[in-house]
Amino acid sequence: VAAEAVPIILGETWRPAIIPMMLIPLTMPFRMLTTPIGEAMNALGHPRLVLYTILISLVMVAGMTWFGSRWGVNGVASGLCIAVLFNVFIFFVITRQITGMGLRDLLGAIAKPLGAATAMYVAVGAAIILTYGFGDPTNLVPPGALESWRALAAMLGHVVVGLVCYGGIIYLIDRASCT
């Protein structure tokens, strides 16, 4: 919903931030993987290893955002996405040696929320296409339409579609953890 939220909430002058606001949230599922792995490593008595992986992450994020800055704010956001994916891979390789946790174990642990998130992205994307049609995501909400309640109602409707889709799927596939 970044294509709607940015011009509606922040205003017309923020339209160049739409693509980064679409890209950066895509890194969240991957970033969420490192937190429990880091906690497990701390619990197993390897806090120094966690520190090293965080330092590697810092260098990667700084380097990739600097490299991406050649292409403006969209390049910075793309560089951040690449750095996050690389960092998750490095974190997984380092911690796998200690925990013995393989890729199958990791995918099994994240399959349900990842599947629900994917379904949510598809449902919200379909709702946006049904509302506005295909086109340039930076111009979904045409200039001048921001004064319209229709643009705000459409954005809120798309947020509700995402919430209901994700929450409903999680409830259906994992009722025990929802009660």
Side-chain angles (χ1 to χ4, degrees):
V1 295
E4 298 167 297
V6 168
I8 291 172
I9 296 171
L10 300 175
E12 290 293 329
T13 58
W14 285 87
R15 277 194 189 266
I18 290 174
I19 299 297
M21 294 288 284
M22 294 171 86
L23 289 175
I24 292 172
L26 295 176
T27 67
M28 288 302 120
F30 300 103
R31 294 183 69 155
M32 288 177 7
L33 292 175
T34 59
T35 301
I37 293 173
E39 294 302 320
M41 294 301 293
N42 281 330
L44 292 171
H46 298 282
R48 195 168 273 167
L49 198 54
V50 174
L51 174 65
Y52 296 150
T53 57
I54 290 171
L55 292 174
I56 291 169
S57 177
L58 175 66
V59 169
M60 277 301 300
V61 168
M64 290 305 291
T65 54
W66 172 79
F67 180 74
S69 69
R70 301 168 194 221
W71 295 278
V73 69
N74 293 345
V76 170
S78 299
L80 177 65
C81 291
I82 292 167
V84 166
L85 291 175
F86 181 79
N87 290 336
V88 169
F89 174 75
I90 292 295
F91 211 96
F92 177 72
V93 167
I94 290 171
T95 58
R96 182 173 187 241
Q97 296 171 2
I98 294 168
T99 63
M101 187 173 80
L103 185 59
R104 183 176 293 171
D105 300 320
L106 179 64
L107 292 176
I110 66 166
K112 292 177 184 177
L114 185 60
T118 302
M120 178 190 67
Y121 281 125
V122 169
V124 171
I128 289 172
I129 289 169
L130 288 172
T131 303
Y132 299 108
F134 290 99
D136 179 4
T138 61
N139 287 315
L140 284 183
V141 179
L146 302 181
E147 295 78 30
S148 161
W149 283 95
R150 181 175 181 260
L152 180 60
M155 180 189 72
L156 293 175
H158 298 146
V159 169
V160 169
V161 166
L163 289 171
V164 168
C165 181
Y166 186 84
I169 290 172
I170 289 295
Y171 180 76
L172 289 174
I173 63 176
D174 200 8
R175 289 183 187 172
S177 64
C178 294
T179 56

